[in-house]
Amino acid sequence: MSDWMVTQGPLPRRRPRALSPLREHLRDTFWFAPTAAMVGVFVVWLVAQELDAALVRSLQEDGDYGTLADLLRFADDAKTVVSAVGSAMMTFIGVVFSISLVAVQMASGQFTPRVVRLFVRSRITKATFAVFLATFVLTLLVLTSYDSNADPRTAASVPLVQSVLTLLMVALSLLLFVMYVNTTLRLMRVSHVIARIAAESFRVAALMPVPADGGGVPVLGPVTAWVVHDGKGGVLRDVHVARLVRVARGHGVVLRLVPRIGDFLVPGTPVLAVHGGAAPPRRALRYALSVGVERTFHQDLAFGLRQLSDIGLRALSPAVNDPTTAVQALDRVVQILATLSRRPLDAVSHRDRRGVVRLVQPVPGWTELVDLGFTEVRACATDAPQVTRRLLAGLDDLLRLVPPERRAPLLRHRALLRQAVERSAPTPADRAFALRPDRQGIG
């Protein structure tokens, strides 16, 4: 297999299922998982409390007071452990929270503020906080179940199952803490952050619909109505594709999204163009478009390249001066562009169950993606031969991959890079060295 074919990276064999905007937004929040864990542990505690009460009633009905007395002594000893766990767990939570803040601060300063969302979406981070808080809540609930009556004949409850459940939660908390520290340390390393960004980009690309017949977007005809944005101003995070397709099918029209995912929307600007009929009522389009304060990966094809470009720019700044990081970012830029090199771009169409196009959504074109991935890094790389060599190697690899109609922006960037290096390099030898393609930059 040739070297340039390796840069694409395998796409998933089975097409991943797109999550709804609501589920994606819940993954971008930090309150949902801990809240759900605390509610869940309360339900589990009720079940455990009923089991303990049933155990006590069964022993009392059988007259096995000796065993019940032993359980009371065990529960009394376990109470000390449960109390210690309750007080220590809050300290543990504070330690984890402090580690998270330091990691987020270092990542945003070293890479780009846009990678903070990787920490927010981290499953292990959410699971750790959720289990810690659930364990703390469980200890408080278990302490309320202890009965001051030590007589086995009249005791109402022995928190045996609850105490064992608390110890299991403590063991789970310790295991998650080790995993959390390992994951956090990985996310503070630039190679893993860049790899996560690339993986998210591949997922978005895999979710893009591909025409079964290989054709592009059909001709829609004239615009018959417009739908304007009447909500708050912000970034278009995603659109509820299934809902818009249902609305368009129900009203016998085709909807065309005017802004791209990631565009900033101002109230009053058109967001949907209607083709073939009247505009659907406003209530039918409610919650179909999600506007927020920042971009997300959910449907944003260009967001990964934007982050990688930011990381490369920061690495090339005089304050950081880390060309190796810029080369690592370029590795993934080339990989993402290679993956998209033969995919239909500019616009994607979404069809209903009968195969009729109902929604047309604009996406970045090939030229725009190439410019996003290379322009800013190329402009700052003239004094870093390691980066110029990697840029030329990446452009050459892409030129071997792309179809002829997509070679023009790559040739333009290669010519501009050569011109910039020829102007800045002081000697012919320096120019020749900086313009020698090398996939590792400089070894």
Side-chain angles (χ1 to χ4, degrees), residues 127-346:
T128 304
F129 273 100
V131 171
F132 281 11
L133 289 174
T135 304
F136 175 71
V137 171
L138 181 62
T139 57
L140 298 182
L141 295 173
V142 172
L143 289 175
T144 63
S145 301
Y146 281 93
D147 194 349
S148 58
N149 186 6
D151 187 358
R153 298 178 181 275
T154 59
S157 176
V158 178
L160 177 65
V161 177
Q162 301 172 63
S163 300
V164 173
L165 181 62
T166 302
L167 296 178
L168 292 177
M169 290 292 290
V170 171
L172 179 60
S173 299
L174 294 176
L175 176 62
L176 284 175
F177 179 71
V178 175
M179 297 173 61
Y180 164 78
V181 172
N182 178 68
T183 302
T184 303
L185 291 177
R186 285 170 61 91
L187 287 178
M188 293 172 66
R189 296 166 58 184
V190 63
S191 57
H192 292 284
V193 171
I194 291 175
R196 286 284 297 274
I197 294 173
E200 292 277 5
S201 299
F202 296 145
R203 186 180 70 88
V204 177
L207 292 174
M208 289 178 56
V210 179
D213 55 0
V217 177
V219 179
L220 301 179
V223 177
T224 55
W226 295 93
V227 177
V228 300
H229 177 56
D230 61 353
K232 62 181 180 179
V235 176
L236 180 61
R237 293 159 56 96
D238 49 45
V239 296
H240 201 304
V241 174
R243 178 172 297 172
L244 288 176
V245 170
R246 287 196 303 267
V247 171
R249 183 185 60 199
H251 291 79
V253 298
V254 179
L255 298 176
R256 177 171 56 87
L257 186 67
V258 177
R260 286 199 319 227
I261 302 298
D263 287 354
F264 190 89
L265 296 184
V266 177
T269 57
V271 289
L272 289 171
V274 184
H275 298 263
R282 177 65 62 178
R283 64 179 182 275
L285 299 174
R286 185 177 301 173
Y287 307 121
L289 277 68
S290 173
V291 175
V293 297
E294 63 178 355
R295 297 168 68 174
T296 69
F297 266 114
H298 186 200
Q299 298 172 354
D300 198 337
L301 184 63
F303 191 41
L305 291 174
R306 177 68 273 165
Q307 293 186 76
L308 292 174
S309 180
D310 288 345
I311 292 174
L313 283 173
R314 183 160 299 201
L316 292 175
S317 65
V320 178
N321 195 20
D322 183 12
T324 302
T325 296
V327 168
Q328 290 178 299
L330 285 173
D331 291 340
R332 298 298 182 170
V333 169
V334 173
Q335 185 183 16
I336 294 172
L337 291 176
T339 303
L340 300 173
S341 60
R342 295 184 179 271
R343 285 177 170 265
L345 298 170
D346 294 314

Side-chain angles (χ1 to χ4, degrees), residues 421-439:
V421 172
E422 288 173 357
R423 287 194 303 266
S424 62
T427 63
D430 290 331
R431 288 194 292 270
F433 181 80
L435 293 176
R436 185 182 305 159
D438 186 346
R439 293 191 182 93

